[in-house]
Amino acid sequence: MSKFLKSFHNVNWIGIRRISIYEGRNGQRTASVNPSAQNDKKVTNDHCEAFRHAKIGNFFQDQPVLHNPYTTDTLLKSFLKKNIPENHFKVIEDDLIRFGDRICTEIHEKGLECERNPPTLTQYDAWGRRIDQLNTCDAWKSMKTVSAEEGMIAIGYERNYGEYSRLYQMAKLFLFGASSGLYSCPLAMTDGAAKVLESSINDVANNDGVFGNAYRRLTSRNPDLFWTSGQWMTERGGGSDVANGTETVACRQSDGTFTLHGYKWFSSATDADIAFTLARIIDENGDIKQGSKGLSLFFLETRNPKDKKLDSGLNGIQMQRLKNKLGTRQLPTAELLLDGTVAHQIGDESHGVRHISDMLTITRIYNCLMGISGMKRLLQLAVDYSCRRTAFGSKLCDNTLHVQTLARIDIETRAAFLMTFEIIRLLGLEEAGIATNQDLALIRILTPVCKLYTAKQALDVSTEGLECFGGMGYLEDSGLPRHLRDAQVLSIWEGTTNILSMDVLRAIEKSDGKVLTDFFSRVEKIVNSVKNSEKSYLSEPIKNVESAIKDLSAFVLGMQKKADQSEIVVAARDMSYSISKIFMAALLLEHAIWERSDKTDIYAAKRWCSQDLCPVMTNYKSGFYDKDSSDVEKLLVYASYPENI
Ligand code: UCC
């Protein structure tokens, strides 16, 4: 038996003091503490006094404590310091420290309260009137006030910090997200709505119509004025296939407005003040156009106090029921019947999908942000817990295998953080009007890539993170399981993994490959700068990234030459994974050579780069995308449905 295995054999595996009671010949009872230990002590009845609490036990595990999420986040601090000039950084950091304290002392508990008190719907009053009253808890309502006061949306649109405004805003949202009781969801749509208004309406901030009013409210810091927005895209016919699944129609009115008639199947944060939705305009012949090109974008206010048709005061909207969901239970998600909802068309007719894409870009970035916010929060709690929890005679923080697990979670979180914040940095450049064409191309391709990949990471990290608490991670009243439940939606809403993989292909095709060329050239530039820094300890990781870049470009070139494009569709998901893994590798390396980096940054980069960074080539070489493989996969999946093979 090896030395290790021998010592393993001697461990008191239960990890608690075992007490055996022995009965002597004269009836005297003695207790033996840790009978397996060498120096067994025999104790008498008197000694048992020390164990008189044995029935319920007198040990209570310390619970993990949330410390200021900004001051305890070395990566966030260093990233902001690296990317924001000193004069802005100082002001921004002061606000983030203050806000971090507010999260610990006030907001976090309210977030948990939102989970404990999910929304309910009262459809009728006692007398049978349809009232559709959505009941949300005080904590949920207070998140709206907090959001306005803290400028959660405002910071991004005031642009007081120029191209750094988005970094500031999103850093704040990153801290807020995991404690917001899912208020991050309405904020995502609110931000997306402000973006649509800003890009579709000329000088919207000074517009004196409905659009200007809405824009000023969405971006207000005044809780009494602040509005949130919904994004009602999903109908029964399809959450992904919006082009064919949308049945809602829009009837033109003589005053230029429209009334909407249709059924919205998943409407998140239904307590919103306004919403954006898609519908097909009925033309003068009473016809509608099918497909994507028949869809126009509409803006509506959810309440219409002037309309006396409904006792609810809603704008031609009936809430049919609230959805019964796996997670995001804090969030009111409803099925809505729109019947005569007054709405305003926005953007060009029949280009609704293109116009709502502005909103999708923002909500997808929020999705990434909320993924990393959840990952980071669970990690922070797990790290704190490891410094409190004792097992096998020592703290978890002294258990190398446990620390390795936490380090792996940390590296995933870092990689996801750097990719998400790189997109946010580029978004800031775009909005300040100083983005290059390459920056714009990168936003286009990296947004779906980052969304699809970070969603999966968030799920993996949540699973692993809960395990770090042992059984406590499985108990609802610990407040921990919600992390996993809420992470599950990240890969579903705002486009599933496969839909986003197809969006990546769409972006490549629509730009004639430019988005990919720009991606390669940005990554190569980063890798070259890392090379030029002449850090010999990074030579191996650099080699791995270079080889992955070579593989990915060889794969793309190979695919371009094929007449049959079916293989690229089957490879789309792995290609997106490869793009994210390579980009994260480059960003981790870039961060590792920064003048203030330390050995943890270097280790994280090395560790990340040691994996297969280009799974699409690995699988391609194995023939997993060719027709034979696809045929076998169909056989494998549908063995019991022969009629579908
Ligand atoms: O609403 C939902 C829940 C809300 C909760 C919000 C939470 C926020 C997260 C917060 C975190 C806590 S979930 C609903 C989400 N639904 C989706 O994500 C839809 C998924 N499906 C797609 O993404 C599809 O790919 C579609 C709908 C975009 C595809 O539609 P089409 O009609 O087939 O697309 P086309 O015909 O290819 O594109 C139509 C136009 C084209 O431009 P033009 O008209 O100039 O030719 C495209 O280039 O739209 C343009 N386009 C885009 N542009 C399409 N996608 C994009 C894009 N991603 N970016 C820019």
Side-chain angles (χ1 to χ4, degrees):
M1 204 187 284
S2 74
K3 187 171 163 234
F4 168 73
L5 285 178
K6 269 188 209 146
S7 58
F8 184 76
H9 214 66
N10 285 334
V11 165
N12 173 358
W13 194 241
I14 308 296
I16 54 172
R17 294 203 295 170
R18 279 192 273 148
I19 306 162
S20 304
I21 307 291
Y22 300 99
E23 195 133 348
R25 258 176 295 165
N26 57 3
Q28 190 196 32
R29 297 169 82 205
T30 57
S32 161
V33 181
N34 282 346
S36 62
Q38 281 209 322
N39 299 324
D40 252 0
K41 289 192 186 111
K42 296 277 190 262
V43 292
T44 65
N45 276 343
D46 295 343
H47 292 109
C48 287
E49 179 60 17
F51 300 98
R52 69 195 156 82
H53 296 300
K55 269 189 239 158
I56 52 164
N58 52 11
F59 169 77
F60 294 98
Q61 175 60 46
D62 268 6
Q63 65 186 68
V65 173
L66 177 65
H67 300 286
N68 185 318
Y70 176 74
T71 54
T72 53
D73 191 335
T74 47
L75 181 66
L76 174 63
K77 279 196 287 187
S78 65
F79 178 85
L80 295 179
K81 186 137 189 76
K82 180 167 172 244
N83 286 286
I84 299 178
E86 194 56 36
N87 57 331
H88 289 331
F89 176 74
K90 179 81 192 72
V91 187
I92 291 172
E93 175 159 73
D94 284 349
D95 187 46
L96 295 177
I97 294 172
R98 179 202 55 77
F99 185 55
D101 280 338
R102 188 175 183 193
I103 288 176
C104 294
T105 54
E106 174 196 340
I107 297 171
H108 188 65
E109 185 47 41
K110 285 185 178 160
L112 296 174
E113 190 61 32
C114 293
E115 169 86 5
R116 288 193 287 265
N117 291 303
T120 58
L121 174 64
T122 310
Q123 282 171 311
Y124 298 94
D125 72 5
W127 313 100
R129 287 192 189 84
R130 184 81 195 236
I131 52 169
D132 285 349
Q133 184 182 304
L134 190 57
N135 312 302
T136 55
C137 66
D138 288 345
W140 174 263
K141 291 188 188 94
S142 74
M143 291 298 180
K144 188 174 185 181
T145 306
V146 168
S147 302
E149 285 171 351
E150 295 289 347
M152 286 302 178
I153 306 300
I155 295 169
Y157 291 84
E158 291 164 349
R159 314 230 162 98
N160 291 336
Y161 301 88
E163 69 263 40
Y164 310 106
S165 302
R166 279 292 189 184
L167 286 176
Y168 173 25
Q169 177 207 14
M170 299 278 178
K172 220 165 168 180
L173 281 158
F174 170 64
L175 301 176
F176 183 50
S179 295
S180 71
L182 245 288
Y183 211 77
S184 48
C185 171
L187 289 180
M189 298 186 289
T190 302
D191 201 333
K195 183 78 175 169
V196 168
L197 287 167
E198 187 182 56
S199 50
S200 314
I201 309 291
N202 207 11
D203 191 18
V204 69
N206 295 309
N207 173 292
D208 53 10
V210 283
F211 296 133
N213 177 45
Y215 178 81
R216 286 186 291 279
R217 284 174 174 272
L218 296 172
T219 57
S220 173
R221 284 176 182 264
N222 181 345
D224 296 331
L225 296 178
F226 182 56
W227 272 1
T228 58
S229 177
Q231 168 200 330
W232 302 344
M233 281 185 75
T234 307
E235 299 196 10
R236 271 196 288 242
S240 298
D241 188 2
V242 175
N244 298 306
T246 307
E247 294 179 333
T248 301
V249 293
C251 301
R252 203 182 296 270
Q253 305 297 302
S254 53
D255 63 356
T257 63
F258 289 79
T259 55
L260 304 183
H261 306 265
Y263 200 87
K264 298 292 172 183
W265 182 238
F266 271 101
S267 314
S268 298
T270 341
D271 58 338
D273 302 282
I274 63 165
F276 281 80
T277 194
L278 295 168
R280 301 183 192 282
I281 295 178
I282 303 175
D283 68 18
E284 55 280 11
N285 301 319
D287 296 327
I288 51 168
K289 212 190 285 173
Q290 294 299 341
S292 181
K293 290 288 175 252
L295 291 171
S296 301
L297 182 59
F298 290 89
F299 158 92
L300 60 98
E301 291 182 22
T302 51
R303 309 206 148 259
N304 185 1
K306 283 187 241 145
D307 184 356
K308 298 293 174 218
K309 285 198 300 291
L310 290 176
D311 291 312
S312 62
L314 293 173
N315 175 9
I317 301 165
Q318 280 188 9
M319 293 193 197
Q320 296 302 305
R321 60 172 167 159
L322 290 183
K323 294 292 200 184
N324 186 0
K325 298 168 288 177
L326 166 69
T328 67
R329 293 178 188 164
Q330 313 89 322
L331 184 69
T333 306
E335 282 171 38
L336 301 177
L337 173 71
L338 310 187
D339 195 11
T341 307
V342 179
H344 305 265
Q345 194 211 318
I346 183 161
D348 307 326
E349 188 168 326
S350 300
H351 287 279
V353 174
R354 175 156 53 79
H355 289 302
I356 209 164
S357 296
D358 281 332
M359 191 168 197
L360 286 178
T361 299
I362 297 294
T363 49
R364 285 170 183 172
I365 292 173
Y366 269 72
N367 206 85
C368 308
L369 197 60
M370 291 317 132
I372 56 172
S373 178
M375 287 188 235
K376 189 69 188 203
R377 181 56 46 80
L378 211 40
L379 178 62
Q380 282 167 331
L381 292 173
V383 167
D384 184 79
Y385 189 67
S386 72
C387 301
R388 299 169 187 278
R389 172 72 173 156
T390 297
F392 309 118
S394 63
K395 293 247 175 80
L396 284 184
C397 60
D398 295 321
N399 179 316
T400 43
L401 191 53
H402 189 72
V403 174
Q404 181 200 62
T405 306
L406 291 172
R408 287 179 178 178
I409 293 177
D410 192 306
I411 293 167
E412 288 294 328
T413 308
R414 269 167 185 259
F417 173 93
L418 288 176
M419 181 153 75
T420 303
F421 269 83
E422 176 60 9
I423 298 174
I424 293 165
R425 190 184 72 77
L426 296 173
L427 180 68
L429 297 181
E430 183 205 327
E431 293 178 339
I434 53 173
T436 61
N437 286 337
Q438 189 182 77
D439 294 330
L440 299 178
L442 287 172
I443 295 175
R444 179 66 187 95
I445 187 168
L446 291 175
T447 303
V449 161
C450 187
K451 192 281 188 184
L452 73 87
Y453 199 77
T454 54
K456 294 290 188 198
Q457 284 176 306
L459 257 173
D460 286 353
V461 162
S462 303
T463 306
E464 198 70 83
L466 290 192
E467 198 176 323
C468 291
F469 297 91
M472 295 309 296
Y474 199 66
L475 292 186
E476 282 296 346
D477 47 1
S478 71
L480 295 166
R482 75 184 169 94
H483 285 281
L484 178 59
R485 277 203 307 273
D486 291 347
Q488 184 67 59
V489 80
L490 296 172
S491 65
I492 298 174
W493 68 9
E494 297 310 307
T496 60
T497 312
N498 287 352
I499 288 295
L500 290 169
S501 303
M502 297 310 292
D503 190 46
V504 173
L505 292 189
R506 180 196 283 109
I508 295 171
E509 196 185 333
K510 199 153 185 215
S511 68
D512 280 333
K514 183 173 176 325
V515 291
L516 255 190
T517 317
D518 285 332
F519 167 77
F520 282 122
S521 103
R522 181 65 57 98
V523 172
E524 274 158 10
K525 191 170 164 209
I526 297 173
V527 173
N528 284 338
S529 73
V530 178
K531 248 172 147 175
N532 293 339
S533 72
E534 293 179 358
K535 307 271 195 270
S536 55
Y537 46 82
L538 290 177
S539 55
E540 197 58 32
I542 292 172
K543 232 166 57 199
N544 293 348
V545 183
E546 285 183 325
S547 145
I549 295 172
K550 228 165 96 199
D551 280 350
L552 182 59
S553 64
F555 170 80
V556 173
L557 285 172
M559 282 294 148
Q560 272 173 352
K561 289 188 193 129
K562 296 204 172 186
D564 176 8
Q565 291 292 291
S566 57
E567 277 188 50
I568 184 73
V569 173
V570 191
R573 183 191 270 239
D574 291 342
M575 190 173 79
S576 291
Y577 282 11
S578 305
I579 294 172
S580 9
K581 280 169 182 269
I582 291 171
F583 198 58
M584 288 172 169
L587 295 173
L588 283 161
L589 284 171
E590 189 183 39
H591 198 74
I593 59 157
W594 183 44
E595 62 202 28
R596 288 170 186 248
S597 71
D598 61 25
K599 66 205 280 195
T600 62
D601 301 307
I602 295 163
Y603 181 78
K606 282 169 129 173
R607 191 77 209 234
W608 184 267
C609 293
S610 66
Q611 62 180 304
D612 178 0
L613 295 173
C614 191
V616 75
M617 185 48 122
T618 312
N619 288 331
Y620 178 65
K621 281 185 185 154
S622 305
F624 291 147
Y625 307 127
D626 62 24
K627 171 115 183 30
D628 287 350
S629 290
S630 294
D631 288 347
V632 180
E633 280 173 0
K634 193 149 193 200
L635 262 175
L636 186 147
V637 174
Y638 297 103
S640 52
Y641 292 80
E643 66 280 12
N644 286 307
I645 296 173

